[in-house]
Amino acid sequence: MNKTDRLLAIVLELQRKKVVRAEDLAILFEISVRTIYRDVQALSEAGVPIIGATGTGYSLMEGYFLPPVSFTVEEAVTLLIGTDFIEQRFDSDYRVKAQAARGKIEAILPESVRNETSRVRKAMRLLPSDKPITPSKEREYLEKIRRAILDERKISFRYIKRLVDSEENRHSFRTVAPYGLVLVQGSWMLVAHCDLRQDIRHFRLSRISALIDLEDRFELPAHFNLREYTPQDDRHMQVSLRFNQDMADKVKEANYTYMEDMEEQQDGLYVVLRVRQLDESLQWVLSWGADVMVLEPESFRNRIREEAEKMLKRY
């Protein structure tokens, strides 16, 4: 990064944060603290109102705002593709905001950059996964939950969970403090503190119904950070499989959630799954028909055999 770009980046960093230490700027731009001192002096001499406080850091004078900066073609394409993604996967409110943002971005681009950006975007397309775009009911809940998170209000809903070793579902009513929303492989997941379990739990929005906003308030714990949050991994069971060699590419492309390891050998593709419960992978394994063989555990081999016998009787 040359000096001109670095000076601009420093101003943007100061504009983004209230106070920034010289040491932190030095680490961010991979330069010495002494160089940061010289850069800040150069910005001050150029008329940028930077305030420095010993032992605290640098900040911009209140009210100062850097005028809009220009985007490169690559930066513009990145932002516009981002609006496409939000329009596909977020709720109606953000979908409208994404459309408005796209219009504003395109409006401020110089004609040459706008034309080149349009040309690049015609060669790129953001397609949804094989799963359907977020259903309308799920979009509605997504918006309600998002607002409840920002307002720090609790919500309640009915939750459906498939019972292991059963074709029935279990329905339960939950009251939770919503901490955040996570998009996992095309499916929205709510991370929340459940009053019933007295702990953090994860809820698929596709399994939620009868959602109600409550007046009860909650306070997000100071130690909780969604970006740093890592759920406890309780997948302690392994399933070993062997796929026919001609299925290897399709299995790799499937990118199955529970896939832990794979290795190609002469007699096929060996895959290891790591799951919480064996039935979690039952439907996926059955979907490959005779192109896969369960090697272990024996109990899962028997489970597959039982399902195959049921299918044979049906036909």
Side-chain angles (χ1 to χ4, degrees):
M1 179 182 292
N2 61 41
K3 183 176 180 179
T4 302
D5 290 340
R6 189 174 67 247
L7 292 177
L8 175 60
I10 289 174
V11 175
L12 292 174
E13 190 69 12
L14 291 172
Q15 187 169 284
R16 190 169 66 90
K17 299 179 179 179
K18 290 184 177 181
V19 180
V20 185
R21 298 186 312 153
E23 292 80 2
D24 294 332
L25 289 172
I27 293 172
L28 179 63
F29 298 111
E30 298 180 345
I31 55 178
S32 67
V33 174
R34 185 178 295 276
T35 301
I36 289 295
Y37 293 155
R38 288 198 293 264
D39 286 348
V40 169
Q41 183 178 352
L43 287 168
S44 298
E45 291 174 354
V48 179
I50 297 178
I51 302 172
T54 304
T56 302
Y58 296 114
S59 62
L60 287 175
M61 184 179 293
E62 187 175 353
Y64 179 82
F65 190 82
L66 190 69
V69 296
S70 60
F71 296 113
T72 65
V73 172
E74 292 79 9
E75 290 169 342
V77 169
T78 301
L79 291 172
L80 293 173
I81 289 178
T83 62
D84 291 341
F85 179 82
I86 291 173
E87 192 172 352
Q88 284 187 10
R89 291 296 184 182
F90 283 63
D91 56 70
S92 57
D93 187 28
Y94 267 122
R95 187 165 65 250
V96 173
K97 298 296 190 299
Q99 293 170 346
R102 182 165 56 241
K104 290 180 179 179
I105 293 170
E106 291 174 337
I108 65 173
L109 295 176
E111 185 177 0
S112 59
V113 176
R114 184 166 60 248
N115 291 339
E116 184 64 14
T117 299
S118 177
R119 192 176 73 85
V120 173
R121 290 191 74 208
K122 286 178 180 178
M124 304 172 68
R125 187 179 178 189
L126 181 65
L127 286 176
S129 64
D130 54 353
K131 297 180 181 180
I133 293 295
T134 310
S136 57
K137 195 67 177 177
E138 196 170 324
R139 283 179 182 268
E140 177 188 336
Y141 288 163
L142 182 65
E143 183 171 357
K144 283 187 175 182
I145 294 172
R146 178 173 58 79
R147 293 186 183 280
I149 292 171
L150 297 177
D151 294 341
E152 295 189 335
R153 286 182 292 101
K154 289 188 174 183
I155 58 175
S156 67
F157 50 81
R158 184 169 67 175
Y159 195 66
I160 302 173
K161 188 173 183 179
R162 182 72 178 267
L163 295 175
V164 181
D165 297 326
S166 173
E167 294 182 358
E168 298 181 356
N169 295 325
R170 182 179 67 191
H171 297 249
S172 62
F173 288 90
R174 305 294 183 99
T175 296
V176 305
Y179 285 178
L181 288 159
V182 182
L183 186 64
V184 183
Q185 295 193 343
S187 298
W188 281 104
M189 190 83 69
L190 167 64
V191 178
H193 185 276
C194 178
D195 285 2
L196 179 64
R197 303 301 183 195
Q198 285 298 300
D199 201 359
I200 293 179
R201 290 291 186 267
H202 309 145
F203 304 93
R204 287 183 179 272
L205 265 61
S206 59
R207 298 179 184 174
I208 288 176
S209 62
L211 188 146
I212 300 175
D213 291 317
L214 303 177
E215 294 299 324
D216 297 352
R217 315 286 296 193
F218 73 91
E219 186 174 341
L220 188 69
H223 62 80
F224 182 85
N225 186 322
L226 186 62
R227 290 187 176 275
E228 298 176 356
Y229 170 69
T230 302
Q232 182 179 357
D233 191 348
D234 56 354
R235 297 179 299 158
H236 303 308
M237 304 188 73
Q238 284 194 349
V239 175
S240 298
L241 310 169
R242 186 181 70 215
F243 288 86
N244 291 347
Q245 189 64 50
D246 56 355
M247 287 289 108
D249 289 341
K250 290 185 178 180
V251 175
K252 294 175 186 177
E253 291 169 1
N255 195 26
Y256 185 48
T257 305
Y258 298 124
M259 202 176 294
E260 176 83 355
D261 192 19
M262 67 173 67
E263 181 182 355
E264 283 196 66
Q265 297 186 16
Q266 290 185 346
D267 59 341
L269 177 69
Y270 286 77
V271 172
V272 175
L273 308 180
R274 191 156 60 92
V275 298
R276 299 176 187 85
Q277 300 162 334
L278 292 176
D279 271 23
E280 286 180 324
S281 57
L282 178 64
Q283 297 300 324
W284 187 77
V285 173
L286 287 172
S287 70
W288 295 95
D291 289 314
V292 63
M293 175 181 288
V294 177
L295 302 179
E296 56 182 23
E298 186 66 27
S299 60
F300 195 53
R301 286 172 58 89
N302 295 335
R303 185 78 172 85
I304 295 292
R305 185 182 296 110
E306 291 170 4
E307 289 297 319
E309 290 172 351
K310 290 179 183 178
M311 292 172 64
L312 183 60
K313 289 179 181 178
R314 186 175 290 267
Y315 290 99

